[in-house]
């Protein structure tokens, strides 16, 4: 009986290890659009791949007073932006946050974001089991580009 318990404990340890490995969310190419002086808002973009069905529920950014999750879409021939509560991250499928689509909106910026600046972001993701994880990423600021810059 004692031996059986040991085996069970060892098996559980292996299971929880593999569960931890599976929960690694990958974030590739995170970047923030650089700003001009006095500009109070900008966008952050990246690709997020979750190993299992999850949701991006919150973003925190020390450079901004507030960070919101936004979606941009075409309605009546106008680009419109709205805040969304979350972004679904389907298992194993990269979800792209990009200009013109989903993005993280950084509001009430505490200073100018200059090209090359490294901007730390914390992404809060939640699994179907309601378990939350925080993923720390460093986004690099890219120069303003053309008319889309003002968002
Ligand atoms: Cu926005």
């Amino acid at each position: 009986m004692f031996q059986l318990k040991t085996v069970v404990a060892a098996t559980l340890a292996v299971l929880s290890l593999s569960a931890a490995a599976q929960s690694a969310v990958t974030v590739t190419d995170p970047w923030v659009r650089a700003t001009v002086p006095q500009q109070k808002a900008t966008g952050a973009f990246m690709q997020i791949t979750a190993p299992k069905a999850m949701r991006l529920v919150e973003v925190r950014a020390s450079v901004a007073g507030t960070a919101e999750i936004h979606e941009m879409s075409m309605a009546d021939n106008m680009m419109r932006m709205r805040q969304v509560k979350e972004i679904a991250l389907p298992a194993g499928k990269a979800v792209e946050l990009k200009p013109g689509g989903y993005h993280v909106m950084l509001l009430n910026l505490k200073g100018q974001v200059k090209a090359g600046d490294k901007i730390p972001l914390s992404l809060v993701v939640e699994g179907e089991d309601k378990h939350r994880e925080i993923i720390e990423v460093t986004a690099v600021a890219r120069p303003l580009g053309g008319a889309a810059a003002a968002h």
Side-chain angles (χ1 to χ4, degrees):
M1 198 56 205
F2 175 76
Q3 277 181 329
L4 181 61
K5 272 185 183 164
T6 310
V7 170
V8 170
T11 309
L12 284 176
V14 170
L15 280 177
S16 57
L17 271 180
S18 62
Q22 278 174 359
S23 68
V25 173
T26 331
V27 177
T28 50
D29 200 22
W31 65 280
V32 170
R33 199 191 301 279
T35 63
V36 293
Q38 312 309 323
Q39 188 181 333
K40 283 292 169 208
T42 190
F45 312 92
M46 66 200 77
Q47 288 103 48
I48 308 173
T49 310
K52 56 183 181 183
M54 297 182 106
R55 295 171 299 128
L56 174 68
V57 293
E58 190 186 334
V59 178
R60 299 172 194 156
S62 51
V63 295
T66 318
E68 296 180 348
I69 304 169
H70 279 192
E71 182 181 24
M72 236 177 161
S73 59
M74 202 66 140
D76 303 326
N77 285 322
M78 296 252 298
M79 283 301 273
R80 283 174 202 272
M81 182 169 76
R82 67 185 180 102
Q83 187 179 4
V84 293
K85 266 176 63 186
E86 57 187 41
I87 298 175
L89 305 171
K93 193 169 171 284
V95 173
E96 199 171 7
L97 279 62
K98 59 178 181 197
Y102 285 123
H103 55 278
V104 174
M105 195 81 213
L106 304 175
L107 301 163
N108 303 320
L109 289 171
K110 293 171 185 169
Q112 185 182 4
V113 177
K114 298 188 178 124
D117 282 358
K118 292 188 169 62
I119 310 295
L121 301 172
S122 305
L123 312 180
V124 183
V125 295
E126 186 177 291
E128 284 171 335
D129 56 3
K130 300 284 178 202
H131 179 75
R132 286 192 172 195
E133 263 180 76
I134 297 179
I135 301 141
E136 306 288 351
V137 302
T138 303
V140 177
R142 290 187 190 165
L144 296 135
H151 192 58

